[in-house]
Coordinates of all heavy atoms in Angstrom, one line a residue:
L430 N -17.7 1.9 15.0 CA -16.2 1.6 15.5 C -15.6 2.8 16.2 O -14.9 2.6 17.2 CB -15.4 1.4 14.2 CG -15.6 -0.1 13.5 CD1 -15.0 -0.1 12.2 CD2 -15.1 -1.1 14.5
I431 N -16.0 4.0 15.8 CA -15.5 5.1 16.6 C -16.1 5.2 18.0 O -15.4 5.4 18.9 CB -15.8 6.5 15.7 CG1 -15.0 6.6 14.5 CG2 -15.7 7.7 16.6 CD1 -15.3 7.7 13.6
Q432 N -17.5 4.8 18.1 CA -18.1 4.8 19.3 C -17.4 3.7 20.2 O -17.4 3.9 21.5 CB -19.5 4.5 19.1 CG -20.3 4.6 20.6 CD -21.9 4.5 20.3 OE1 -22.3 4.2 19.3 NE2 -22.6 4.6 21.5
A433 N -17.0 2.7 19.6 CA -16.3 1.6 20.5 C -14.9 2.0 20.9 O -14.4 1.3 21.8 CB -16.2 0.3 19.5
G434 N -14.3 3.1 20.3 CA -13.1 3.6 20.7 C -12.0 3.8 19.7 O -10.9 4.1 20.1
A435 N -12.3 3.5 18.4 CA -11.2 3.7 17.4 C -11.1 5.2 17.2 O -12.0 6.0 17.1 CB -11.8 3.0 16.1
T436 N -9.9 5.5 16.7 CA -9.6 7.0 16.5 C -9.5 7.1 14.9 O -8.9 6.4 14.2 CB -8.1 7.4 16.9 OG1 -8.0 7.2 18.3 CG2 -7.8 8.7 16.6
P437 N -10.4 8.1 14.4 CA -10.3 8.3 13.0 C -9.0 8.9 12.5 O -8.5 9.8 13.2 CB -11.5 9.4 12.8 CG -11.6 10.0 14.2 CD -11.3 9.0 15.1
I438 N -8.5 8.4 11.4 CA -7.0 8.9 11.0 C -7.1 9.2 9.5 O -7.8 8.5 8.7 CB -6.1 7.6 11.4 CG1 -6.0 7.4 12.9 CG2 -4.7 8.0 10.7 CD1 -5.0 6.3 13.3
G439 N -6.4 10.3 9.2 CA -6.3 10.7 7.9 C -5.2 10.2 7.0 O -4.4 9.5 7.5
L440 N -5.0 10.8 5.9 CA -4.0 10.3 4.9 C -2.5 10.7 5.4 O -1.6 10.1 5.0 CB -4.1 11.0 3.5 CG -5.4 10.5 2.7 CD1 -5.7 11.4 1.6 CD2 -5.4 9.1 2.3
G441 N -2.5 11.8 6.2 CA -1.0 12.1 6.7 C -0.4 11.1 7.5 O 0.7 10.6 7.3
A442 N -1.2 10.5 8.5 CA -0.7 9.6 9.5 C -0.6 8.2 8.6 O 0.2 7.5 8.9 CB -1.5 9.4 10.7
R443 N -1.5 8.0 7.8 CA -1.4 6.9 6.9 C 0.0 6.7 6.2 O 0.6 5.6 6.1 CB -2.5 6.7 5.8 CG -2.5 5.6 5.0 CD -3.9 5.5 4.2 NE -3.8 4.7 3.0 CZ -4.1 3.4 3.0 NH1 -4.4 2.8 4.2 NH2 -4.1 2.7 1.9
D444 N 0.4 7.8 5.8 CA 1.7 7.9 5.0 C 2.9 7.6 6.0 O 3.8 7.0 5.8 CB 2.0 9.2 4.3 CG 3.2 9.2 3.5 OD1 3.3 8.3 2.7 OD2 3.8 10.2 3.6
T445 N 3.0 8.3 7.2 CA 4.0 8.2 8.1 C 3.9 6.7 8.7 O 5.1 6.1 9.0 CB 4.0 9.1 9.3 OG1 2.7 9.2 10.0 CG2 4.2 10.6 8.7
L446 N 2.8 6.1 8.9 CA 2.7 4.7 9.4 C 3.3 3.8 8.4 O 4.1 2.9 8.8 CB 1.2 4.4 9.7 CG 0.6 5.0 11.0 CD1 -0.9 5.0 10.9 CD2 1.1 4.4 12.1
R447 N 2.9 4.0 7.2 CA 3.4 3.0 6.2 C 4.9 3.2 5.9 O 5.7 2.3 5.7 CB 2.7 3.1 4.9 CG 3.0 4.5 4.0 CD 4.0 4.4 3.0 NE 4.5 5.6 2.4 CZ 5.5 5.8 1.7 NH1 6.2 4.8 1.3 NH2 5.7 7.2 1.3
L448 N 5.5 4.5 6.1 CA 6.9 4.7 5.9 C 7.8 4.1 7.0 O 8.8 3.6 6.6 CB 7.1 6.3 5.8 CG 8.5 6.7 5.7 CD1 9.1 6.2 4.3 CD2 8.7 8.3 5.6
E449 N 7.3 4.1 8.2 CA 8.1 3.5 9.3 C 8.1 2.1 9.1 O 9.0 1.4 9.5 CB 7.3 3.8 10.6 CG 7.3 5.1 11.2 CD 6.8 5.2 12.6 OE1 6.0 4.4 12.9 OE2 7.0 6.3 13.2
K450 N 7.2 1.4 8.3 CA 7.3 -0.1 8.0 C 8.0 -0.3 6.6 O 8.2 -1.4 6.3 CB 5.9 -0.7 8.0 CG 5.3 -0.7 9.4 CD 6.1 -1.3 10.4 CE 5.4 -1.4 11.7 NZ 6.2 -2.0 12.9
G451 N 8.2 0.8 5.9 CA 9.0 0.6 4.7 C 8.1 0.0 3.5 O 8.6 -0.5 2.5
F452 N 6.7 0.4 3.6 CA 5.9 -0.1 2.5 C 5.8 0.9 1.3 O 6.0 2.1 1.6 CB 4.3 -0.1 3.1 CG 4.1 -1.2 4.1 CD1 3.2 -1.1 5.0 CD2 5.0 -2.4 4.3 CE1 3.0 -2.0 6.1 CE2 4.8 -3.2 5.2 CZ 3.8 -3.1 6.1
L453 N 5.8 0.4 0.3 CA 5.8 1.2 -1.1 C 4.6 2.1 -1.1 O 3.5 1.6 -0.8 CB 6.0 0.3 -2.2 CG 7.2 -0.6 -2.4 CD1 7.0 -1.5 -3.6 CD2 8.5 0.3 -2.4
L454 N 4.7 3.2 -1.7 CA 3.6 4.1 -2.0 C 3.6 4.3 -3.6 O 4.6 4.9 -4.2 CB 3.7 5.5 -1.3 CG 2.6 6.4 -1.6 CD1 1.1 5.9 -1.3 CD2 2.8 7.7 -0.8
S455 N 2.5 3.9 -4.3 CA 2.4 4.0 -5.7 C 2.4 5.6 -6.0 O 1.9 6.4 -5.3 CB 1.1 3.4 -6.1 OG 0.8 3.7 -7.4
G456 N 3.2 5.8 -7.1 CA 3.2 7.3 -7.6 C 4.3 8.0 -6.9 O 4.7 9.1 -7.2
V457 N 4.9 7.4 -5.7 CA 5.9 8.1 -4.9 C 7.2 7.2 -4.9 O 8.3 7.8 -5.2 CB 5.4 8.3 -3.5 CG1 6.5 8.9 -2.6 CG2 4.3 9.4 -3.5
D458 N 7.1 6.0 -4.8 CA 8.3 5.1 -4.6 C 8.4 4.2 -5.8 O 9.4 3.7 -6.1 CB 8.2 4.2 -3.5 CG 8.2 4.9 -2.1 OD1 9.0 5.9 -1.9 OD2 7.2 4.6 -1.2
F459 N 7.4 4.3 -6.7 CA 7.5 3.6 -8.1 C 6.4 4.2 -8.9 O 5.3 4.7 -8.3 CB 7.3 2.2 -8.0 CG 5.9 1.6 -7.6 CD1 5.0 1.4 -8.6 CD2 5.6 1.4 -6.3 CE1 3.7 1.0 -8.3 CE2 4.4 1.0 -6.0 CZ 3.4 0.7 -6.9
A460 N 6.5 4.3 -10.2 CA 5.4 4.6 -11.1 C 5.8 4.0 -12.5 O 6.9 4.0 -12.9 CB 5.3 6.1 -11.1
P461 N 4.7 3.6 -13.3 CA 5.0 2.9 -14.5 C 5.3 4.1 -15.7 O 4.8 5.3 -15.4 CB 3.7 2.5 -14.9 CG 2.6 3.1 -14.1 CD 3.3 3.5 -12.8
P462 N 6.3 3.9 -16.5 CA 6.7 4.9 -17.4 C 5.5 5.5 -18.3 O 5.6 6.7 -18.6 CB 7.5 4.0 -18.4 CG 8.1 2.9 -17.6 CD 7.0 2.5 -16.7
S463 N 4.4 4.8 -18.4 CA 3.4 5.3 -19.1 C 2.5 6.4 -18.5 O 2.0 7.2 -19.1 CB 2.3 4.2 -19.4 OG 1.9 3.6 -18.2
L464 N 2.9 6.5 -17.1 CA 2.1 7.5 -16.3 C 3.0 8.5 -15.7 O 2.6 9.7 -15.2 CB 1.3 6.9 -15.2 CG 0.2 6.0 -15.6 CD1 -0.5 5.4 -14.4 CD2 -0.8 6.6 -16.5
D465 N 4.3 8.4 -15.8 CA 5.2 9.3 -15.1 C 6.6 9.4 -15.9 O 7.0 8.3 -16.2 CB 5.5 8.8 -13.6 CG 6.0 9.9 -12.8 OD1 7.2 10.5 -13.2 OD2 5.5 10.2 -11.8
D466 N 7.0 10.6 -16.1 CA 8.2 10.7 -16.9 C 9.5 10.8 -16.1 O 10.5 11.0 -16.6 CB 8.2 11.9 -17.9 CG 8.0 13.2 -17.1 OD1 8.0 13.2 -15.9 OD2 7.8 14.3 -17.8

Side-chain angles (χ1 to χ4, degrees):
L430 288 170
I431 290 176
Q432 185 175 5
T436 299
I438 298 183
L440 293 169
R443 179 174 165 85
D444 187 47
T445 55
L446 287 159
R447 71 90 192 172
L448 181 57
E449 286 185 348
K450 296 301 180 179
F452 296 155
L453 300 173
L454 179 57
S455 173
V457 174
D458 299 312
F459 70 89
S463 60
L464 296 182
D465 197 305
D466 60 6

